[in-house]
Amino acid sequence: MSEPKSKNIHWHGANITQEERQEALDARGCVVWFTGLSGSGKSTISRRVEQLLLERGKFVYSLDGDNVRFGLNKDLGFSPEDRTENIRRIGEVAKLFADACCVTTTAFISPYRQDRDQVRAIMAEGSFIEVFVDTPLEVCEERDPKGLYKKARRGEIPEFTGISAPYEAPEAAELVLKTAGRSVDECALEVIEHLQQAGFITG
Ligand code: ADP
């Protein structure tokens, strides 16, 4: 991991421990990192998980693919370097949310294994939950919710993941979600069940 540019900076810890924070808020944070092809279902499932957990009064927030490109990452494109920087920044933001005891779901293609592993590396042990939204390219292309595959096939989108840019599937994801032929709710509930088993959601 690269060193900060500034030299005279010091890390300030909180006045309370992470355990005390969790106890005070009765919540444990983590990052639920959805990865998969465009149209695989990351956003849809991430939003549904967020909704279902909010309905149960849980502290949860969904960081979404396109949305951060309007603000935090508006200076980044889709070249390999920019994709890496995109994921690095999102990882840092997600880590802060998780430290604040929020169940943080993220929905980014994040095609490079190394970029995802870098995010895993900055997170507290066990609090990075990689969810591979394992939907075959043919199914994603058939869904084509934003018409992007059609454009990509016409050569109108350079460096489109799955068509003209690579996607590196996780080798040891905490959860592999098959979505083809399944409902959104089925998939969202599978994620919530995993979070319950891992102790991030109680009750
Ligand atoms: P991504 O965020 O991965 O690009 P989206 O969530 O935007 O994908 O789009 C997924 C599309 O697939 C949506 O139109 C959604 O309604 C549809 N879909 C069908 N079945 C499922 C499922 N089981 N899980 C998630 N999405 C599904």
Side-chain angles (χ1 to χ4, degrees):
M1 218 158 292
S2 64
E3 291 297 311
K5 210 168 177 179
S6 315
K7 293 297 165 222
N8 294 311
I9 53 172
H10 303 275
W11 184 263
H12 289 276
N15 288 353
I16 60 163
T17 65
Q18 195 57 14
E19 289 71 30
E20 286 167 336
R21 187 191 304 276
Q22 289 169 3
E23 207 169 301
L25 296 172
D26 190 24
R28 255 184 89 197
C30 63
V31 172
V32 184
W33 190 278
F34 291 95
T35 172
L37 295 171
S38 177
S40 59
K42 302 179 296 297
S43 281
T44 306
I45 298 167
S46 164
R47 294 279 175 202
R48 187 67 180 134
V49 167
E50 181 188 48
Q51 182 187 6
L52 289 169
L53 290 182
L54 277 175
E55 282 169 7
R56 296 189 198 177
K58 302 298 177 190
F59 184 23
V60 56
Y61 189 79
S62 175
L63 278 168
D64 202 276
D66 281 348
N67 293 1
V68 296
R69 286 185 178 272
F70 285 105
L72 178 69
N73 292 349
K74 69 201 289 186
D75 57 325
L76 301 178
F78 288 89
S79 67
E81 300 74 34
D82 280 8
R83 283 179 192 256
T84 294
E85 178 60 11
N86 184 45
I87 295 308
R88 190 191 70 79
R89 289 185 201 171
I90 291 157
E92 293 287 350
V93 172
K95 177 183 158 60
L96 291 174
F97 273 71
D99 281 350
C101 295
C102 181
V103 170
T104 315
T105 68
T106 67
F108 301 92
I109 297 174
S110 44
Y112 303 127
R113 204 171 287 135
Q114 196 184 353
D115 294 349
R116 298 189 301 264
D117 286 347
Q118 290 276 10
V119 180
R120 182 187 288 276
I122 63 168
M123 294 290 304
E125 183 75 29
S127 64
F128 182 79
I129 298 154
E130 191 173 11
V131 181
F132 176 29
V133 185
D134 187 8
T135 311
L137 178 64
E138 310 80 71
V139 177
C140 296
E141 198 161 354
E142 203 171 303
R143 289 179 184 166
D144 206 6
K146 300 171 207 148
L148 295 177
Y149 283 97
K150 275 181 208 75
K151 276 193 182 172
R153 289 289 184 197
R154 289 199 299 264
E156 291 167 18
I157 308 179
E159 303 182 271
F160 192 78
T161 303
I163 306 287
S164 48
Y167 176 77
E168 298 171 1
E171 284 167 344
E174 274 70 16
L175 194 60
V176 178
L177 262 190
K178 302 273 182 190
T179 74
R182 295 177 76 205
S183 73
V184 173
D185 271 13
E186 246 176 281
C187 297
L189 288 171
E190 192 178 337
V191 174
I192 291 173
E193 204 166 296
H194 182 89
L195 291 175
Q196 278 168 329
Q197 277 167 10
F200 292 104
I201 298 293
T202 51

